[in-house]
Amino acid sequence: MFRDLGAYLDSIKARDPAPRSRWEVLLYPGVLALGLHRLAHWLFRGELFFFARLINHLSRFLTAIDIHPGAKIGRHLFIDHGFTVIGETADIGDNVTIYQCVTLGGTNPANGVGGKRHPTIEDDVILGSGAQVLGPITVGRRARVGANAVVTQNVPEGATMVGVRARPTLVEAKDYQKDFVPYGTPCSEIFDPATQKLEILQCEMEQMQKRLAAFAKERNGGEESETKGRDSA
């Protein structure tokens, strides 16, 4: 038990340069929230739903992290800071990193469709701050979701998603090959693919305007030459 706890705390230190010791990591709200969730999930599986919810509410009050007791969570989950919401049918793999203000949300419960409503997050995924992953979709192993991205479709393994609605973007090989990238995306310039398309269209429009201006100038110059020729005649 203590060996597993030590390995978990070391996995957090490997992803966060701030703590100086394991003892400091023990004070992290994400660590407390996960520990209380383990207890709440055990009660939930035993169909002691009221007590599971009671632990859940206590955890949310203490940590500002809301993890439904029914959510399935693997080993070494690191929730960095609070204000994160994880839904009932969410399924999280091993070594997942979640930053602040992330939502693993479900589909509309008012439509009468039950079952799997929340995302499946596979191993080694990083979810940047403010990311919204919605519906019964799968985020593939080692995928990266950038800050404030809204993911509503399956994410391929190893993809880096940015934007609203989130789309895959190119990342330099030296960044992609890293085992861990803080906040899911490197700090170098990475543009939303939709923004890139708009910039390309803007450049094409500017080039077209220059060509039209040159054509109009050439045409006006030709008309002036013809007018001068008729006047001299």
Side-chain angles (χ1 to χ4, degrees):
M1 175 180 176
F2 290 105
R3 184 183 301 173
D4 291 342
L5 177 60
Y8 172 53
L9 299 179
D10 288 340
S11 76
I12 292 178
K13 284 189 64 181
R15 287 174 278 178
D16 184 3
R20 269 58 174 183
S21 67
R22 289 178 175 178
W23 296 105
E24 195 173 340
V25 176
L26 282 172
L27 299 176
Y28 276 26
V31 173
L32 177 59
L34 182 59
L36 290 173
H37 170 73
R38 300 294 190 198
L39 175 58
H41 185 65
W42 180 75
L43 293 170
F44 186 86
R45 292 182 62 187
E47 299 186 355
L48 299 173
F49 302 121
F50 173 80
F51 294 105
R53 274 292 194 177
L54 184 63
I55 298 296
N56 165 238
H57 281 281
L58 174 64
S59 175
R60 183 172 58 184
F61 175 77
L62 294 174
T63 66
I65 296 172
D66 186 3
I67 308 176
H68 192 284
K72 298 177 182 177
I73 298 178
R75 301 173 64 250
H76 298 173
L77 170 66
F78 176 31
I79 302 177
D80 194 1
H81 308 296
F83 307 102
T84 289
V85 178
I86 299 174
E88 177 183 5
T89 61
D91 195 340
I92 300 176
D94 297 337
N95 302 309
V96 172
T97 303
I98 299 177
Y99 288 92
Q100 64 268 23
C101 302
V102 168
T103 300
L104 303 185
T107 51
N108 181 13
N111 61 8
V113 179
K116 178 70 171 171
R117 307 188 313 278
H118 299 86
T120 295
I121 311 297
E122 295 187 347
D123 299 347
D124 302 307
V125 168
I126 301 173
L127 303 178
S129 55
Q132 310 294 302
V133 186
L134 309 175
I137 62 176
T138 298
V139 179
R141 183 180 178 276
R142 208 172 178 271
R144 310 289 188 248
V145 178
N148 295 319
V150 178
V151 183
T152 57
Q153 295 180 342
N154 290 338
V155 176
E157 180 178 336
T160 297
M161 309 294 289
V162 298
V164 182
R165 173 176 56 90
R167 297 171 177 83
T169 188
L170 295 176
V171 178
E172 293 184 9
K174 62 182 179 67
D175 292 319
Y176 176 78
Q177 291 173 354
K178 293 179 180 177
D179 291 333
F180 181 74
V181 180
Y183 290 92
T185 52
C187 293
S188 58
E189 292 187 6
I190 292 183
F191 297 100
D192 182 348
T195 304
Q196 290 178 319
K197 290 180 181 178
L198 288 174
E199 290 180 350
I200 292 172
L201 287 173
Q202 184 177 358
C203 290
E204 291 178 351
M205 285 291 294
E206 290 176 354
Q207 292 177 0
M208 190 176 298
Q209 288 173 348
K210 289 179 181 179
R211 291 177 181 176
L212 287 172
F215 176 75
K217 184 177 181 181
E218 182 180 347
R219 182 178 179 183
N220 291 335
E223 291 178 351
E224 290 176 1
S225 299
E226 290 180 3
T227 303
K228 287 180 181 179
R230 286 196 295 268
D231 290 343
S232 61

